[in-house]
């Protein structure tokens, strides 16, 4: 019997392991297909011996449309604080501005920084071109572009801020290596785009290398995200544990789940120091709502992850093995049904019935699973304290809304200088256009004007205030500023072309 704890057993947060007796959990039935797959999943978990006491909360579309832009009521937070375990069906976020992503809100508000998404093939019973695929994507869950900080700055230009922190990088990279060590995985691969985003993705890669030094027995490697994604899609067998920033992880975990067989089979765990959330990785599929045709497997396997997390390994194994037996018996929902392989096309509720009917059985062809009360659980990693760097202000980037030629913008900028600093360059969408720009460069109405202290001179906040005052008096429409600092003498800003 092959123990595949690695696929469904995330570590438990401190204080949550070894629970005895009935365990309260917070449950949300969600939107679209959510109520159908949650009902089916809970029914299977209970039949498998799960000793849980669900507390139901209402979240999602119903609250959004009633005027609650967060999609969750204050009372729901009280339940989550009390149970510290969230079993959540997919929800629908209405289209258009003003509505916050509830998934992002919950993950960030509760500190669920680690998203674990196992992707394994179930060949030959679920169609896939990669029968040997067995990997885990560890996705950073709180930062990156998912901070959701966006602005419209000019007629033409919109901005989304990409925020990456050293503590965030350290926690998720430590988690990936600790996970690999605990579950006998041999390699951790990091995906970034640090050849372009040298500071943000560069920090993620740098911390990955630092953390890897503490795990000499685990192979480590780094791929640029574009070729890495191509390799993942073509040869997923080359990877074991993958760790990456939020956006890349979100996209590629769906890709990996699909090439393994179906997004509908993929579970997900979100782990933090104080709470955990378990969910399917797919969405609410409103077009399928009410048709009793959706595959509950992703949410059901997330429930298996939850049972291991709360210390009910026997029930977790019983449910998981019954599910595996159902899959290999060819009892399939519409999304994975394939003539010649599948034996029976079933509804959501009928699939749940089939899994329940196989409780106590184990698969014949697929590897069965077994879990232990302790598993290989490890403490949820935290970031190490660091000594603050010596920080020095050396300049400022002033972003300007203007349709004037760059030469006129440069003239107006230089006219405001009072001494001690200079206009170093002007860029448009990151491309240097002054001095010595190329006439072929297409420009919008959004300009970055960089002022830097002259050699041997200092820069200070009073100079910033005076510069902005003079720009205001001259009629310059500045829409944003960014202070330029060095940290222990190293530039804390991208140098830009020609610098």
């Amino acid at each position: 019997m092959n123990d595949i704890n690695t696929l469904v057993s995330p570590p438990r947060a401190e204080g949550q392991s070894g629970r005895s007796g009935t365990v309260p959990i917070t449950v949300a039935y969600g939107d679209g297909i959510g109520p159908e797959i949650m009902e089916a999943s809970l029914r299977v978990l209970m039949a498998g011996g799960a000793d849980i006491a669900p507390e139901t909360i209402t979240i999602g579309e119903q609250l959004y449309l009633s005027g609650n832009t967060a999609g969750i009521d204050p009372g729901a937070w009280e339940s989550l604080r009390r149970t510290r375990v969230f079993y959540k069906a997919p929800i629908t976020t209405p289209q258009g501005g003003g509505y916050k992503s509830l998934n992002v809100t919950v993950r960030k508000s509760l500190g669920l920084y680690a998203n674990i998404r196992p992707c394994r093939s179930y060949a030959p019973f679920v169609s896939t071109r990669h029968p040997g695929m067995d990997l885990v994507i560890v996705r950073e869950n709180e930062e990156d572009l998912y901070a959701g900080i966006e602005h419209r700055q000019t007629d033409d230009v919109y901005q989304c801020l990409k925020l990456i922190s050293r503590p965030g990088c350290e926690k998720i990279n430590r988690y990936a290596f600790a996970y690999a060590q605990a579950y006998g995985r041999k390699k951790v691969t990091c995906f970034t785009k640090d050849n372009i985003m040298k500071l943000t993705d560069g920090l993620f890669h740098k911390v990955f290398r630092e953390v890897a030094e503490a795990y000499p027995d685990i192979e480590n490697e780094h791929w640029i995200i574009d070729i890495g994604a191509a390799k993942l899609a073509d040869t997923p067998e080359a990877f074991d544990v993958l760790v990456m920033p939020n956006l890349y992880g979100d996209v590629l975990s769906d890709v990996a789940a699909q090439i393994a067989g179906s997004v509908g089979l993929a579970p997900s765990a979100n782990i933090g120091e104080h709470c955990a959330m378990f969910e399917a990785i797919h969405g609410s599929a409103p077009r399928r709502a009410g048709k009793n045709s959706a595959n509950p497997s992703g949410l059901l396997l997330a429930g298996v992850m939850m049972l291991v997390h709360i210390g009910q390994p026997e029930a977790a194994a019983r449910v998981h093995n019954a599910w595996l037996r159902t899959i290999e018996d060819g009892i399939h929902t519409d999304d994975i049904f394939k003539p010649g392989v599948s034996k029976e096309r079933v509804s959501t509720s009928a699939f749940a019935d089939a899994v329940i009917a196989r409780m106590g059985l184990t698969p014949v062809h697929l590897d069965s699973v077994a879990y232990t009360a302790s598993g290989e659980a490890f403490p949820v990693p935290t970031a190490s304290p660091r000594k603050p760097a010596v920080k020095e202000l050396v300049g400022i980037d002033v972003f300007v809304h203007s349709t004037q030629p760059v030469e006129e913008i440069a003239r107006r900028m230089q006219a405001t200088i009072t001494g001690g600093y200079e206009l170093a360059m002007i860029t448009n969408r990151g491309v240097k256009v002054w001095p010595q720009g190329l006439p072929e460069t297409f420009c919008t109405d959004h300009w970055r004007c960089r002022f830097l202290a002259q050699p041997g001179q200092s820069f200070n906040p009073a100079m910033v205030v005076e510069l902005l005052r003079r720009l205001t008096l001259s009629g310059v429409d500045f829409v944003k500023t960014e202070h330029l600092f060095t940290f222990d003498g190293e530039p804390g800003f991208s140098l830009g072309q020609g610098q």
Side-chain angles (χ1 to χ4, degrees):
M1 181 169 63
N2 182 30
D3 182 349
I4 57 169
N5 255 8
T6 57
L7 290 181
V8 296
S9 177
R12 294 183 287 273
E14 183 179 355
Q16 291 185 316
S17 61
R19 292 186 178 188
S20 59
T22 302
V23 177
I25 64 170
T26 300
V27 172
Y29 281 75
D31 303 313
I33 61 173
E36 300 161 61
I37 62 173
M38 179 58 80
E39 188 280 331
S41 296
L42 284 174
R43 193 154 54 88
V44 173
L45 295 178
M46 295 294 196
D51 192 4
I52 55 177
E55 297 182 7
T56 302
I57 62 172
T58 300
I59 62 173
E61 188 173 31
Q62 177 181 333
L63 289 178
Y64 283 125
L65 297 179
S66 70
N68 185 325
T69 59
I72 183 169
D73 275 338
W77 293 114
E78 292 303 318
S79 176
L80 291 170
R81 290 190 187 98
R82 183 170 55 256
T83 68
R84 301 171 66 190
V85 179
F86 191 14
Y87 191 32
K88 185 184 77 64
I91 59 101
T92 299
T93 303
Q95 297 296 313
Y99 298 107
K100 299 178 182 178
S101 167
L102 181 59
N103 283 345
V104 174
T105 297
V106 171
R107 290 167 183 162
K108 296 183 69 172
S109 298
L110 297 178
L112 308 180
Y113 73 84
N115 181 250
I116 304 94
R117 296 189 174 187
C119 299
R120 182 186 179 187
S121 63
Y122 299 98
F125 306 104
V126 177
S127 180
T128 177
R129 294 186 177 91
H130 305 284
M133 183 176 178
D134 179 6
L135 59 85
V136 178
I137 294 179
V138 178
R139 163 194 171 193
E140 199 288 319
N141 228 7
E142 298 180 288
E143 302 186 335
D144 198 9
L145 293 164
Y146 282 40
I149 303 174
E150 297 183 286
H151 307 90
R152 181 176 180 177
Q153 296 185 330
T154 70
D155 291 325
D156 292 341
V157 173
Y158 297 70
Q159 168 186 272
C160 181
L161 293 181
K162 180 183 177 81
L163 299 179
I164 300 289
S165 74
R166 172 172 275 277
C169 294
E170 183 179 350
K171 288 191 296 182
I172 197 64
N173 278 294
R174 287 194 183 283
Y175 190 103
F177 279 95
Y179 185 103
Q181 184 180 65
Y183 300 133
R185 298 276 177 165
K186 304 301 183 185
K187 180 173 68 173
V188 179
T189 303
C190 176
F191 281 3
T192 73
K193 189 66 175 175
D194 65 337
N195 59 331
I196 302 298
M197 289 169 280
K198 299 180 185 297
L199 291 182
T200 51
D201 280 25
L203 175 64
F204 196 97
H205 186 186
K206 178 183 178 182
V207 174
F208 171 80
R209 293 197 305 269
E210 293 172 358
V211 171
E213 293 178 359
Y215 296 88
D217 296 332
I218 299 175
E219 181 184 353
N220 71 86
E221 63 179 7
H222 172 265
W223 290 69
I224 297 298
I225 183 66
D226 42 14
I227 188 60
K231 181 72 171 179
L232 174 64
D234 178 73
T235 317
E237 300 85 358
F239 299 106
D240 196 351
V241 174
L242 297 98
V243 62
M244 61 195 77
N246 203 338
L247 177 61
Y248 310 147
D250 191 6
V251 174
L252 291 187
S253 55
D254 280 10
V255 171
Q258 185 61 33
I259 65 178
S262 171
V263 170
L265 302 180
S268 172
N270 302 269
I271 304 296
E273 294 180 62
H274 310 293
C275 191
M277 178 171 70
F278 303 88
E279 58 186 345
I281 76 168
H282 59 74
S284 60
R287 288 179 296 181
R288 304 192 101 190
K291 297 180 180 179
N292 193 26
S293 63
N295 191 341
S297 295
L299 188 60
L300 176 60
L301 293 180
V304 171
M305 299 172 82
M306 178 182 67
L307 293 181
V308 176
H309 178 83
I310 64 176
Q312 298 184 13
E314 296 86 0
R318 193 177 302 114
V319 171
H320 198 173
N321 283 321
W323 179 85
L324 289 166
R325 182 63 176 265
T326 304
I327 291 297
E328 72 174 23
D329 283 350
I331 312 300
H332 296 163
T333 48
D334 184 65
D335 61 319
I336 60 172
F337 186 89
K338 184 176 181 180
V341 176
S342 304
K343 302 290 194 307
E344 183 180 356
R345 190 194 306 264
V346 295
S347 65
T348 306
S349 57
F351 182 82
D353 293 338
V355 177
I356 291 171
R358 288 163 175 78
M359 287 297 171
L361 301 181
T362 57
V364 176
H365 303 285
L366 296 171
D367 291 332
S368 61
V369 301
Y371 303 107
T372 61
S374 59
E376 290 92 1
F378 54 89
V380 176
T382 57
S384 305
R386 291 178 58 84
K387 179 182 178 181
V390 176
K391 178 181 172 184
E392 181 182 1
L393 178 65
V394 297
I396 186 172
D397 280 344
V398 179
F399 294 80
V400 173
H401 181 188
S402 177
T403 57
Q404 292 181 320
V406 67
E407 292 80 9
E408 175 61 19
I409 295 172
R411 185 193 67 78
R412 297 181 69 186
M413 293 291 132
Q414 289 175 313
T416 64
I417 295 175
T418 57
Y421 60 94
E422 62 187 0
L423 179 65
M425 69 172 178
I426 299 177
T427 68
N428 194 287
R429 296 182 300 163
V431 179
K432 192 184 79 168
V433 293
W434 183 93
Q436 300 176 340
L438 299 177
E440 294 84 2
T441 302
F442 175 76
C443 294
T444 68
D445 58 359
H446 186 271
W447 312 83
R448 177 181 60 167
C449 303
R450 172 161 291 178
F451 296 89
L452 290 173
Q454 294 173 338
Q457 300 292 316
S458 62
F459 210 87
N460 60 61
M463 295 168 68
V464 171
V465 173
E466 178 61 17
L467 171 62
L468 297 181
R469 186 186 73 84
R470 292 173 64 86
L471 289 174
T472 301
L473 292 176
S474 67
V476 172
D477 183 9
F478 61 89
V479 297
K480 172 186 168 65
T481 63
E482 287 285 350
H483 287 35
L484 307 178
F485 297 101
T486 60
F487 294 82
D488 290 337
E490 294 294 324
F493 50 92
S494 58
L495 297 179
Q497 296 183 354
Q499 298 298 297

